[in-house]
Amino acid sequence: GAVRVGGHNVRSYDLKTLRDNVAVVLQKNVLFTGTIKDNLKWGNEKASDEEIVWAAKIAHADGFIREMPDGYDTMVEQGGNNVSGGQKQRITIARALLKKPKILILDDSTSAVDTKTEREIREALKRDLPETTKIIISQRIVSIKDADRIVVMNHGKIEDVGTHDELIKRNDLYSSIAKFQEENSK
């Protein structure tokens, strides 16, 4: 198979062009020693304070950052030991947004965030970045339920593609996971 962007195999793109237009946020995130603002600017070193706050608001990080002792100038300890896992994830989502990518890949990047905050992040991404293609990799059905297309993977192979409603009706694996997760969230 091939991964295509705009109908072209990604291998045909110049690597710098591809890297400049794609941002990836992983489940396990890395924060560097320095201020929160410094960490955010890794996404775009020329970002203005307004752009930084814009990205932090979309990632639902602005609120907790402002509550920190020095706000955006709060020092991040080595490895981000003075922020929670969910805060780390939201900071790295904001960092990726500062890149203003055409494609945003979120690989289980909200696993440490409660479902309400995760939903608010997804809604903000949809509202504030309508032209950005978002690829969300998740084991939580609630995280992908509203996606235009859901790809069901089973043992490394594509098993099915469709909307949530289509997959609930026709894919036993997807519907059993959805039912299990729904029952366990009550």
Side-chain angles (χ1 to χ4, degrees):
V3 175
R4 297 184 179 282
V5 175
H8 302 283
N9 189 319
V10 292
R11 292 184 176 150
S12 68
Y13 281 92
D14 169 69
L15 195 55
K16 182 179 177 351
T17 301
L18 198 57
R19 286 183 177 156
D20 287 347
N21 288 288
V22 177
V24 179
V25 183
L26 304 172
Q27 179 180 12
K28 299 281 185 203
N29 304 289
V30 177
L31 294 182
F32 308 100
T33 303
T35 66
I36 289 176
K37 186 186 288 185
D38 293 337
N39 271 275
L40 291 169
K41 284 188 142 193
W42 270 82
N44 175 359
E45 63 186 31
K46 296 176 183 169
S48 68
D49 288 347
E50 292 78 21
E51 289 171 313
I52 290 169
V53 171
W54 166 83
K57 283 182 177 179
I58 293 172
H60 283 260
D62 182 66
F64 78 79
I65 292 171
R66 289 186 186 275
E67 291 174 2
M68 296 182 110
D70 296 313
Y72 284 85
D73 293 319
T74 299
M75 289 299 291
V76 174
E77 294 175 7
Q78 185 173 359
N81 291 333
N82 59 329
V83 293
S84 72
Q87 290 172 331
K88 260 188 221 180
Q89 287 183 332
R90 289 181 279 169
I91 290 169
T92 54
I93 290 169
R95 179 167 64 197
L97 295 177
L98 283 172
K99 221 177 153 179
K100 299 195 175 143
K102 290 189 166 102
I103 299 172
L104 177 63
I105 301 172
L106 302 170
D107 187 356
D108 233 358
S109 60
T110 55
S111 60
V113 176
D114 64 88
T115 53
K116 178 182 180 284
T117 303
E118 180 190 19
R119 185 185 72 247
E120 291 169 349
I121 293 169
R122 283 193 326 270
E123 288 170 357
L125 288 169
K126 186 175 183 175
R127 179 188 63 239
D128 297 332
L129 298 163
E131 300 300 316
T132 300
T133 298
K134 295 134 200 115
I135 299 171
I136 301 170
I137 302 163
S138 181
Q139 296 177 33
R140 292 196 290 198
I141 298 291
V142 70
S143 302
I144 57 169
K145 192 175 180 178
D146 298 324
D148 297 330
R149 275 184 280 179
I150 299 168
V151 178
V152 179
M153 302 287 295
N154 191 4
H155 298 290
K157 304 242 187 263
I158 295 175
E159 183 171 297
D160 206 345
V161 179
T163 66
H164 174 76
D165 292 337
E166 291 168 347
L167 293 170
I168 286 288
K169 291 175 188 168
R170 73 170 183 242
N171 188 284
D172 292 338
L173 175 63
Y174 185 86
S175 60
S176 67
I177 292 169
K179 183 178 179 185
F180 176 79
Q181 289 181 5
E182 188 178 318
E183 287 172 357
N184 287 314
S185 69
K186 294 177 182 177

